Amino acid sequence: MASTEVGKMQDEANKRKERLKAMRDRQRQLEGDVNEPPDKRANLDSGESLPKPIFRSYKPQDERLKEQSVEVEKPKPVEVGDKVKDQLEAARPEPVVEEVDLVNLAPRKPDWDLKRDVAKKLEKLDRRTQRAIAELIRDRLQMGNEDLAGVVSAAVQPAADEDDD
């Protein structure tokens, strides 16, 4: 019984090999594959010519190959003088500023950014304060008919006291 199974398996393996070979042949025919089986290569040797080799990096020693060799022109060096000049001009350092602004070099106080941010708001408040002072002076002039110089000095004096604090 074991021998019949082995024979059966060999028959199936042979059938599978034939199917695979047929598939490969069909695939080669569709693709026009260069790697043809050895029996087709023999046909090429008989009548068709093979591609000629191109020798670029060496000169062949064999006389038959010397006839087939193609001489490749040697490359000519490129002029790099202009490129070097451009790069040298680009690499030149720019003139150094001899005068140094000490204000930019001095360290800033820790609260400089707060003062900068609050400056606009302070300008508005200063304008409002000046308007309020002018309005108070007008009111005192209307009420008391006092001389202008005394009223102005009295109004400015309390504002000066506030600045001293």
Side-chain angles (χ1 to χ4, degrees):
M1 181 127 167
S3 63
T4 58
E5 287 181 21
V6 171
K8 205 181 211 186
M9 292 175 78
Q10 285 180 348
D11 290 339
E12 288 178 12
N14 288 337
K15 288 179 185 177
R16 192 176 316 116
K17 285 181 184 177
E18 289 176 15
R19 284 193 312 253
L20 288 173
K21 185 177 179 184
M23 285 175 50
R24 272 190 232 119
D25 290 342
R26 273 187 268 139
Q27 189 69 25
R28 284 185 182 140
Q29 287 176 356
L30 291 175
E31 293 179 358
D33 195 2
V34 177
N35 300 326
E36 297 177 1
D39 57 317
K40 290 187 180 179
R41 285 188 207 146
N43 294 339
L44 286 176
D45 291 339
S46 63
E48 297 178 19
S49 64
L50 295 174
K52 294 182 180 178
I54 299 174
F55 301 105
R56 293 187 177 133
S57 60
Y58 66 94
K59 294 183 180 180
Q61 300 294 323
D62 190 11
E63 292 297 324
R64 291 178 291 166
L65 293 177
K66 283 184 181 179
E67 294 171 2
Q68 294 178 357
S69 66
V70 177
E71 295 211 14
V72 179
E73 292 182 20
K74 293 183 179 179
K76 297 178 183 176
V78 180
E79 289 291 326
V80 293
D82 295 333
K83 291 181 182 179
V84 171
K85 286 180 184 177
D86 292 340
Q87 289 179 356
L88 287 175
E89 289 176 7
R92 284 187 187 153
E94 294 185 19
V96 178
V97 178
E98 293 183 14
E99 294 181 20
V100 178
D101 189 12
L102 295 178
V103 175
N104 292 337
L105 293 178
R108 295 182 175 168
K109 294 182 180 178
D111 61 346
W112 71 272
D113 57 338
L114 296 174
K115 289 181 181 178
R116 179 196 64 205
D117 294 339
V118 176
K120 289 184 180 178
K121 294 179 182 177
L122 286 177
E123 287 177 10
K124 288 182 183 179
L125 288 176
D126 285 340
R127 286 190 298 237
R128 287 184 184 175
T129 304
Q130 292 299 325
R131 286 184 193 152
I133 291 173
E135 191 174 324
L136 287 174
I137 292 173
R138 280 191 222 117
D139 288 343
R140 286 190 186 170
L141 284 175
Q142 288 176 357
M143 294 185 106
N145 289 333
E146 299 176 13
D147 66 350
L148 184 60
V151 174
V152 171
S153 63
V156 173
Q157 196 172 26
D161 292 339
E162 290 177 9
D163 289 340
D164 292 339
D165 292 341

